[in-house]
Amino acid sequence: MERYIGLDVHAASCTLGVLSQSGKRVGTHVVETSAKSLIALLDTIPGRKHVCLEEGTMAGWLYEVLSPHVEEVVVAGVEESRGPKSDKLDAFGRAEELRIGAVRKRVYKERGSFAALGYRAKVHDKVMRDSVRVMARITSLMRSRGVRVPHAGVYSESGRKKWIAGLPEAARYAAEILYAELDALMVLRAHAEKEMVSEARRHAEFRILKSCPGLGSIRAAQLMAVVVTPYRFASKRTFWSFWSYCGLGIVMRSSSDWARAQDGKWMRVPVQQTRGLSRSFNRTLKMVFKGAATTVISRREDDPLFRHFTRLLDNGTKPNLARLTIARQIASIALSLWRNKEKYDPKKLELKEVPAGA
């Protein structure tokens, strides 16, 4: 006996909608948002239980606490809601999507042995973004008073007094506070980076991924924290799905694909058009692989990837599309090394001419 349970989660309460295998509504419940209350309620529901909930702040926590008590927990990525809406309707809607296999986007929540690394990578990313934001505010303050500053020199402690002196008396206090905030964040940023890399080094996968071109300690740690396991992408189109997840996949659109030929038969016409890169992607992974491609290109070493980049440029490929191709290849190499548990060997690398617009 199968039971499909939709879960609509809020800070104080959770609404559960329960469907039978045939789609009949067999119950609805409202409980407190706590692990103890939810587990106690699920234990009263007979049969094999399948739970579906929307992606949100508490989705990761609920996945961890409910997984041992049900057959499966599916976290669905829902972009928008249309039509009538209520907690009960949302709960039954998630249950019905799971029952008929209509969950379009499943969000991966399994962390396993990378749980500690995941939290360290997230806090490192937040502190890094905060420090960059404060840098932008300092530059904005200087420019608002007509002070021309270089992109990096204004943040150094040595030349700081000169830039503050260029401001009017009324604005100097604001600059000093922003500089104090930046100093504190830079200390936290260095500490967060050290902790993230230190945690990543505990795993054998770190040394494998670090051998990949363009992936240093920070990028390898970020990659491990997000992907967790390379076997998530185990299909006939493994690399294409991974590229899309990393924001490196091309979105194609077509309409009115068939036209009638002179002999009266229907034939397919080439109306497929490129609409750019996928907009549904993991931003950390896109930053990792595009940054890795930039590193490989800028080093100009005798590496197969750099030689491939120069061949693309010689053949007329635009620099941005050539860099995208290298980023794709680095992503494929990293995934292959991780799956095969072997370090990078440039002698084994076979580069296929895959156009960036494909």
Side-chain angles (χ1 to χ4, degrees), residues 335-352:
L335 195 65
S336 297
L337 295 178
W338 196 349
R339 290 170 66 94
N340 298 329
K341 295 181 172 58
E342 61 181 12
K343 292 187 177 181
Y344 173 69
D345 184 358
K347 296 179 181 179
K348 297 181 180 179
L349 184 60
E350 295 182 4
L351 297 176
K352 298 181 180 179

Side-chain angles (χ1 to χ4, degrees), residues 123-341:
V123 76
H124 170 264
D125 180 70
K126 293 180 186 298
V127 173
M128 181 185 67
R129 292 179 184 275
D130 288 343
S131 63
V132 172
R133 186 176 293 112
V134 175
M135 289 178 183
R137 287 171 178 168
I138 292 173
T139 304
S140 177
L141 175 62
M142 297 293 180
R143 290 178 177 174
S144 70
R145 301 305 307 173
V147 179
R148 302 181 113 189
V149 296
H151 290 290
V154 68
Y155 310 123
S156 64
E157 294 185 14
S158 59
R160 186 174 298 178
K161 292 182 179 180
K162 179 183 69 173
W163 301 111
I164 294 178
L167 294 172
E169 186 68 29
R172 291 175 186 175
Y173 175 76
E176 291 171 354
I177 292 296
L178 289 175
Y179 275 121
E181 182 181 8
L182 177 61
D183 291 340
L185 284 172
M186 294 305 290
V187 173
L188 291 175
R189 177 172 169 176
H191 179 69
E193 179 181 312
K194 180 181 177 181
E195 286 295 316
M196 178 182 68
V197 175
S198 177
E199 177 64 27
R201 284 200 177 102
R202 297 177 54 198
H203 304 275
E205 295 87 346
F206 177 75
R207 290 178 287 279
I208 293 173
L209 292 174
K210 193 179 175 183
S211 69
C212 183
L215 294 186
S217 299
I218 296 177
R219 288 173 183 154
Q222 291 172 330
L223 175 60
M224 291 165 56
V226 174
V227 177
V228 180
T229 171
Y231 304 106
R232 293 170 54 184
F233 308 93
S235 66
K236 294 180 179 179
R237 296 173 61 85
T238 297
F239 292 133
W240 290 93
S241 61
F242 188 54
W243 290 347
S244 296
Y245 183 56
C246 298
L248 306 175
I250 302 297
V251 176
M252 306 295 290
R253 294 286 187 269
S254 69
S255 181
S256 186
D257 296 338
W258 298 87
R260 194 181 294 277
Q262 294 181 353
D263 57 2
K265 296 182 179 180
W266 290 98
M267 60 178 294
R268 186 181 292 273
V269 293
V271 295
Q272 203 170 48
Q273 297 181 354
T274 301
R275 296 299 184 187
L277 297 178
S278 172
R279 295 187 178 182
S280 178
F281 60 91
N282 185 283
R283 282 161 175 75
T284 299
L285 291 185
K286 187 170 185 177
M287 177 185 67
V288 165
F289 289 119
K290 294 196 77 172
T294 302
T295 298
V296 170
I297 294 168
S298 60
R299 284 178 180 172
R300 298 181 176 274
E301 296 177 351
D302 187 19
D303 184 88
L305 287 171
F306 179 71
R307 292 199 298 269
H308 189 209
F309 176 75
T310 56
R311 286 200 306 270
L312 290 171
L313 296 182
D314 293 340
N315 293 334
T317 304
K318 294 181 179 179
N320 62 321
L321 295 181
R323 188 177 69 140
L324 173 62
T325 300
I326 300 302
R328 281 180 167 189
Q329 290 168 344
I330 294 174
S332 301
I333 292 169
L335 195 65
S336 297
L337 295 178
W338 196 349
R339 290 170 66 94
N340 298 329
K341 295 181 172 58

Side-chain angles (χ1 to χ4, degrees), residues 34 37 43 58 63 79 120 133-134 170-171 206 216 240 295 313 334:
S34 71
S37 300
D43 289 341
M58 293 181 283
Y63 181 91
E79 297 181 359
R120 282 164 171 77
R133 186 176 293 112
V134 175
F206 177 75
W240 290 93
T295 298
L313 296 182

Side-chain angles (χ1 to χ4, degrees), residues 54 78-86 89-90 94 97 104:
E54 291 184 10
V78 180
E79 297 181 359
E80 61 179 341
S81 178
R82 295 181 179 179
K85 186 183 186 305
S86 69
L89 288 175
D90 287 347
R94 300 292 82 75
E97 289 175 358
R104 296 180 59 185

